[in-house]
């Protein structure tokens, strides 16, 4: 199985086929959902999608590192990390190869 990237267009096509909206309406719906999820994550909220999984953003704490050239201690600024925890159902579906 090779690498596959799921794009907005792929999602829009799936909505178009499954829901029956026009292609334009499907694209707008997908874009709106993705924007809503992004905005929630950017504001620090947890996004939980039932039977799929949970997306969270957390701040990694600031730490002290060493400059490799001088050996001086330097602060490493905190960064935000996005994590995804798949639901039990999603884990089972992926393990089964998408059947189900």
């Amino acid at each position: 199985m090779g690498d596959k990237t799921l794009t907005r267009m792929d999602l829009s096509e799936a909505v178009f086929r499954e829901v029956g909206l026009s292609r334009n309406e499907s694209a707008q719906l997908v874009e709106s959902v993705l924007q809503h999820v992004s905005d929630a994550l950017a504001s620090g909220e947890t996004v939980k999608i039932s039977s799929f999984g949970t997306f969270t953003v957390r701040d990694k704490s600031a730490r002290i590192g060493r400059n490799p050239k001088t050996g001086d201690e330097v602060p490493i600024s905190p960064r935000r990390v996005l994590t995804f925890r798949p639901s039990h159902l999603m884990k089972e579906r992926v393990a089964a190869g998408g059947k189900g």
Side-chain angles (χ1 to χ4, degrees), residues 41 46-50 52-56 82-87:
L41 290 168
T46 295
V47 176
K48 184 174 183 178
I49 302 172
S50 181
F52 184 76
T54 305
F55 295 91
T56 51
L82 175 68
T83 58
F84 171 68
R85 290 184 173 242
S87 70

Side-chain angles (χ1 to χ4, degrees), residues 61-72:
S61 61
R63 351 184 268 286
I64 299 294
R66 290 205 177 271
N67 181 322
K69 290 182 180 178
T70 64
D72 294 340

Side-chain angles (χ1 to χ4, degrees), residues 3 26 28 33 68:
D3 289 344
S26 298
Q28 289 174 344
V33 168

